[in-house]
Amino acid sequence: SCYFIVQFVSFLIFKFALTNIPVWAAILVNTFILGISLIFLIVADGSKEYIESVDKKVQDKILWIKEAQTDVDILISEATDSEVKDALRELSKVIRYSDPMSDSSLVELESQISEKIGSLVIFDKEKTLTDISQIKQLIEARNKKCLIRK
């Protein structure tokens, strides 16, 4: 749209203000305007593709934390003991406020956390509370390692 405005203003200038300028000068100026507009269009399209690829990488990196959050939320809805529910809610908050970005060096630690979450048995109160405490420690270690990598 900016191109059309500039092109129209150029037309008006050459048509009414600069009537004694040769036609080839008007063609040259308008070709220059078109070239600059094409360059900006190509750069904008390249930027769009780059932003989309970065967005996809970010989505892949935050997928793990979203899955862990969902798993814990499901366990909260299944838990019957109030102490276990409270501990799971706290764990859910810890996960929610964790650094969402993952790194290839954290895969092993995240795998341990996922395994621990997957092995939570909400009907065994003592084991569940112990496991939740261990998961929190693992998440804290993960967050510290994330912080170092930034």
Side-chain angles (χ1 to χ4, degrees):
S1 70
C2 187
Y3 163 72
F4 293 115
I5 294 169
V6 171
Q7 194 71 44
F8 185 70
V9 169
S10 169
F11 165 75
L12 291 176
I13 290 172
F14 281 108
K15 180 73 177 168
F16 299 111
L18 303 174
T19 54
N20 58 351
I21 300 290
V23 173
W24 64 266
I27 292 172
L28 184 67
V29 168
N30 286 319
T31 303
F32 177 75
I33 293 170
L34 177 64
I36 295 296
S37 297
L38 287 175
I39 289 171
F40 282 127
L41 183 64
I42 291 168
V43 168
D45 188 52
S47 299
K48 177 185 159 238
E49 290 174 8
Y50 175 74
I51 290 170
E52 287 173 350
S53 71
V54 167
D55 188 46
K56 183 177 177 350
K57 288 178 187 176
V58 167
Q59 291 300 322
D60 290 344
K61 288 184 175 188
I62 64 173
L63 179 64
W64 173 83
I65 202 82
K66 287 183 178 182
E67 287 177 347
Q69 178 76 42
T70 302
D71 291 343
V72 171
D73 289 343
I74 291 169
L75 289 171
I76 291 171
S77 66
E78 294 174 353
T80 55
D81 186 273
S82 63
E83 192 176 347
V84 171
K85 271 192 175 198
D86 290 342
L88 286 169
R89 282 189 189 108
E90 189 178 328
L91 177 60
S92 179
K93 284 181 184 178
V94 168
I95 293 171
R96 183 180 313 126
Y97 297 119
S98 291
D99 190 334
M101 293 300 288
S102 186
D103 188 71
S104 59
S105 62
L106 300 172
V107 170
E108 185 178 325
L109 189 57
E110 290 171 351
S111 176
Q112 289 176 358
I113 295 169
S114 294
E115 286 176 25
K116 282 276 191 190
I117 291 172
S119 69
L120 281 175
V121 180
I122 56 174
F123 303 108
D124 184 355
K125 180 179 176 177
E126 294 305 317
K127 182 175 181 347
T128 302
L129 294 175
T130 303
D131 287 348
I132 289 172
S133 176
Q134 291 172 352
I135 293 169
K136 285 181 193 175
Q137 290 172 354
L138 289 171
I139 291 173
E140 187 177 315
R142 178 195 171 274
N143 288 341
K144 286 179 182 177
K145 289 183 179 183
C146 278
L147 189 62
I148 290 171
R149 283 163 178 68
K150 289 188 178 190

